Amino acid sequence: MVTKKKLKLSAGIAGTGWNFTSWMHKDMPADAGENLDFYIEQAKIAEDAKFETLFLFDVSHVGPGNIPHYLSMFDGVTIMSAIAMKTSRIGVSFTAATSYTDPYNIARQTLSLDKISKGWASLNAVTSNPGGMVNFSRGHLGKADQYPMQREFLEIVLGLWDTL
């Protein structure tokens, strides 16, 4: 018996996009980064095109040199929950910085999103760059510290999921 391989696609969803001028495109709503209907429309297009999941590009910091809409972007869990209420066959994935967030909060947010999406949620757990640490009242951690912290973080999150 031959097993057929299936290509799985993920669509990145990012409001106005990830450069300084994308908001100026004639087809881009000026408020795309804050427009819930725009995000839902993009999600439905991806769902109809048979994409497996949506991935929210996210940042954990704002500051000089950042793209201006970073500050007004929707929180990942919030926007993915709203999208999950309007879709039924596409996964929703949010990003969490393990360097800044407590495992209990992320475990709870992911489980809540999973319930709202009826089993279509996922988590993109990342370390982060130094820019974000200032926003969370923390000092700079190098990658040598962040990666062991991330492993411990994920062990705790998985343990919490197993108890609920």
Side-chain angles (χ1 to χ4, degrees):
M1 180 172 154
V2 176
T3 303
K4 290 185 178 182
K5 292 185 178 184
K6 186 176 179 182
L7 179 65
K8 296 185 179 192
L9 300 173
S10 178
I13 193 164
T16 59
W18 288 92
N19 66 56
F20 283 92
T21 60
S22 58
W23 63 272
M24 294 189 294
H25 190 278
K26 64 180 179 61
D27 295 330
M28 179 64 70
D31 68 343
E34 302 172 331
N35 183 329
L36 180 59
D37 294 329
F38 178 76
Y39 275 96
I40 291 170
E41 178 184 342
Q42 299 304 304
K44 287 182 176 183
I45 289 169
E47 183 176 47
D48 290 344
K50 309 290 188 222
F51 278 71
E52 183 83 11
T53 190
L54 292 173
F55 176 80
L56 180 70
F57 298 103
D58 203 1
V59 296
S60 57
H61 67 284
V62 293
N66 284 145
I67 295 170
H69 82 274
Y70 281 9
L71 184 59
S72 63
M73 288 174 58
F74 284 109
D75 165 72
V77 175
T78 302
I79 191 64
M80 289 307 191
S81 294
I83 288 170
M85 296 299 295
K86 299 291 185 173
T87 59
S88 61
R89 302 175 320 277
I90 193 165
V92 286
S93 183
F94 75 99
T95 299
T98 59
S99 304
Y100 311 129
T101 310
D102 292 320
Y104 174 80
N105 293 335
I106 296 304
R108 186 173 182 207
Q109 287 174 319
T110 308
L111 285 174
S112 294
L113 181 59
D114 198 55
K115 290 173 186 174
I116 291 167
S117 69
K118 297 181 175 72
W120 286 88
S122 64
L123 167 65
N124 176 39
V126 299
T127 60
S128 288
N129 61 35
M133 294 183 188
V134 175
N135 292 339
F136 292 87
S137 302
R138 299 195 180 168
H140 174 65
L141 294 173
K143 293 295 182 188
D145 294 320
Q146 286 182 353
Y147 289 127
M149 180 188 291
Q150 183 183 42
R151 278 191 293 279
E152 180 182 11
F153 181 100
L154 292 172
E155 287 174 13
I156 294 168
V157 167
L158 291 170
L160 288 166
W161 288 342
D162 287 344
T163 64
L164 300 174

